Amino acid sequence: MNDVSASHRLVAGAPDSPVILHVPHSSRIIPPDVRSGIVLEDAALERELDHITDSHTARIAATAAERCAAEPWQFVNQLSRLVVDPERFPDEREEMLAVGMGAVYTRTTHREELRLADHDGQRLVERYFHPYAAAVTDAVTQRLAAVGRAVIIDVHSYPTERLPYELHGDGPRPPICLGRDAFHTPAGLLAHAEKAFAGFGGTGVNTPFEGTYVPLKYYGNDPRGSALMIEIRRDVYMSEPGGAAGPGLGALANALADLVDMASTPGAVCP
């Protein structure tokens, strides 16, 4: 995959839909030249991908989109987060640098060596991170221009048991974690997400992961951009760490479609 534009894809939704389903961590693909900078042997790398990949989340998003009254847009990362993690800050603002997991990871989920200490991560940031960020920003800009608002729903999953890399993993691990931002997550959007996902055994807010993704151009300054992160505990829909999806996937897609339909209704996500 040499074409940087092929490292992510925007799937068009309904022209009047404000919703973007953002799926940043579902892929296991690592280009060969990027793989050469990773020190793990093939079997160890596959195990790491099992732990770090939000498996089947692109399928959850796509299935949900098909079931919506107005199909949302989908922005999907086509590469593994072991290439770059598009949801990190690319500089010293990123707290995950403390465990070697900034925009370009140097350590694994178990805090073992992933790349050599002197690895030049800036090359990957320039090649993949910045173009990805620009493309997401453009997608949001297009929704703002077309509809006057944008609603980003960030689709993730997380392991049932805490992994060593987690900085804030000592809190509750509910079946559904809802990541909210004080500025960008309206109360109505959060409340409907709690209702939509109530049937999976409970929801929690900002535990064990908090916040949500908003392009930096709009972060903290444009209330027309709403956002919410959905973190699905993996035992709800798949065998861990990196196994097949189970029947829970369809029910999750229905819940996500319900949330999208609500978010697509004018006025529904006002504070």
Side-chain angles (χ1 to χ4, degrees):
M1 186 180 293
N2 295 319
D3 183 2
V4 172
S5 67
S7 68
H8 49 262
R9 62 187 173 96
L10 178 65
V11 181
D16 59 347
S17 173
V19 179
I20 300 171
L21 296 179
H22 182 224
V23 187
H25 295 156
S26 64
S27 177
R28 298 173 68 100
I29 295 174
I30 302 173
D33 62 319
V34 180
R35 169 68 180 94
S36 66
I38 293 175
V39 301
L40 300 179
E41 295 183 356
D42 288 349
L45 177 57
E46 288 301 309
R47 287 194 298 272
E48 179 61 14
L49 287 168
D50 286 343
H51 289 295
I52 201 64
T53 304
D54 293 351
S55 299
H56 315 297
T57 50
R59 182 178 162 196
I60 292 172
T63 303
E66 294 173 352
R67 298 175 180 178
C68 292
E71 189 169 354
W73 297 64
Q74 300 169 66
F75 195 100
V76 183
N77 188 3
Q78 302 268 67
L79 298 180
S80 169
R81 63 197 292 192
L82 296 185
V83 179
V84 295
D85 190 332
E87 295 208 322
R88 303 288 200 240
F89 287 111
D91 51 36
E92 68 281 351
R93 290 174 291 176
E94 180 51 60
E95 69 170 352
M96 294 301 291
L97 286 169
V99 289
M101 300 181 84
V104 178
Y105 297 175
T106 58
R107 312 295 289 187
T108 71
T109 51
H110 291 73
R111 301 201 181 193
E112 298 168 348
E113 187 177 53
L114 180 73
R115 292 181 169 96
L116 297 175
D118 62 354
H119 181 271
D120 180 16
Q122 190 59 33
R123 180 180 64 87
L124 294 177
V125 168
E126 295 295 335
R127 182 179 175 186
Y128 293 112
F129 184 96
H130 290 318
Y132 186 103
V136 179
T137 301
D138 286 346
V140 172
T141 300
Q142 290 169 14
R143 292 301 86 215
L144 292 175
V147 190
R149 62 193 183 98
V151 183
I152 304 168
I153 299 177
D154 212 19
V155 185
H156 292 259
S157 70
Y158 76 101
T160 304
E161 300 295 330
R162 179 181 183 176
L163 290 174
Y165 83 94
E166 296 180 29
L167 292 178
H168 309 291
D170 52 351
R173 303 179 80 84
I176 306 293
C177 162
L178 303 173
R180 68 176 293 272
D181 176 86
F183 185 88
H184 288 283
T185 307
L189 180 61
L190 179 63
H192 195 86
E194 290 173 330
K195 180 180 177 181
F197 288 96
F200 297 95
T203 62
V205 177
N206 284 348
T207 179
F209 300 97
E210 65 179 82
T212 188
Y213 179 80
V214 177
L216 289 177
K217 177 179 178 179
Y218 297 107
Y219 183 69
N221 62 64
D222 194 334
R224 297 176 303 161
S226 302
L228 178 73
M229 177 172 69
I230 310 294
E231 285 271 6
I232 305 162
R233 203 177 65 202
R234 291 175 187 159
D235 64 337
V236 173
Y237 73 97
M238 63 173 284
S239 59
E240 297 181 82
L249 188 147
L252 287 164
N254 286 339
L256 182 56
D258 181 41
L259 176 60
V260 170
D261 284 343
M262 186 284 304
S264 301
T265 304
V269 297
C270 291

